Amino acid sequence: MGLLSPTRTMRLWGPRGLGVALGVFMTIGFALQLWGGPFQRRLPGLQLRHFWASAPGPAAPSCPPRQRLVFLKTHKSGSSSVLSLLHRYGDRHGLRFALPARYQFGYPRLFQASRVKGYRPQSGDTQPPFHILCHHMRFNLKEVLQVMPSDSFFFSIVRDPAALARSAFSYYKSASSAFRKAPSLAAFLANPRAFYRPGARGDHYARNLLWFDFGLPFPPDMRTKRGNPRVSKDPNPPQLPSGAGPPAHTLDPNALFHPVPTVADGHSQMSSPASLDLGSSSFIQWNLAWLDSVFDLVLVAEYFDESLVLLADALCWGLDDVVGFMHNAQAGGGQDRSTIDDGGLTTEDRQLTARARAWNNLDWALYVHFNRSLWARIKQYGQSRLESAVAELRARREALAKHCLVGGEALDPKYITDRRFRPFQFGSGKVLGYVLRSGLSLQDQEECERLATPELQYKDKLDAKQFPPTVSLPLKTSRRPSP
């Protein structure tokens, strides 16, 4: 191996003074995980360019497209739709994916480089590089950097924890002991500690799931009890340093967040009550600052299209590269803006929303933080320019849906007879999928198949492409051998 690049060195070690101070409090493993990033790294400057308006294709990029990508696929946050566009982009451009042996990287354990199929740490320069790491994992920066170069583009996606809780309760009811024991989400949130036990099987789905997926430590009152059988299976559990600050600030459940209404309203700022000032909690601030130092961009599910426009710009991709269909969506579950528009909720729904955000207080802090950063980037990108690009993105998606899909939209899985396009069904809700129209040209058929293929089937397709099965050729004989 050669000398470490400045970027990799910063990502691994951070400023010397900070590392020394933290070394007193933290185990070596988690020090590398939590504080390994370039703490002073600033948000990268945006590469401003114009997407096509009415031309049949995107304008030629003015910068080289970025193709070394790390996407932290968070649960129930619209991440399957992002994964779909990464699958398609990498497939079209012949990029090499860092793939799990099955469909996840040992989740819910922290990511380990050894779980990447075909990863050979001792092979030196002879191993072909990986371009994209994007399947489910619990984030572990130190191990990710064993697989991906430090100058990779790191990004993820978050969702309002109130909306996430609704989706997770339906989807993971059979997987989480806390959800399984609760008769309804309302009953669970009315008294969550009657059902939830830290460290119980699957209960990471029931509280602060985003925080967990980002691989962040939990304050002492949320940690798994020592001796729990689930703990011993985690080879490198993150820990909070003792005396490292006050416990996590519990956000006021009645302090409802009021995001920007819509892009079309011409607003680019969000407001939140003074009680949501996260500066009062050094614990949360430390973790959010670390995430800022590692991740180049964090998308927001409630502003999915706006996020995709910013992603395309940051990667110097064409708008066509981020046009796609929604995947892994549950029937009746939608991810429209109404999930965060408190003004349209009933009193009962407002109470449920407030309780969900209070129970998932770390996720709420994380969501508020990245919602703010998204709108800061939108302001830098330009409001009117964004509106134009979002309109074009939606028009292109609608045109593709009409051209590719029966009915022009997602369908109940009972109508999907082709196994290649039938999404994996899990949880109590029906996961919608797509049926392709007949009579497509060969070229359109190929692209429409890419757009409609669910994540598990696409992963299998990429796996077969990168690791073609070895076929043993039989010996030539003049006649069939005797039994």
Side-chain angles (χ1 to χ4, degrees), residues 11-12 32-38 111 138-146 154 290 293-294:
R11 266 195 166 132
L12 281 172
L32 288 170
Q33 161 79 3
L34 178 60
W35 298 101
F111 173 82
R138 189 178 182 204
F139 191 65
N140 183 356
L141 178 62
K142 177 175 176 284
E143 288 291 312
V144 167
L145 290 176
Q146 299 299 313
F154 283 67
W290 179 73
S293 76
V294 173

Side-chain angles (χ1 to χ4, degrees), residues 477 479-483:
T477 59
R479 60 180 180 177
R480 188 182 298 273
S482 302

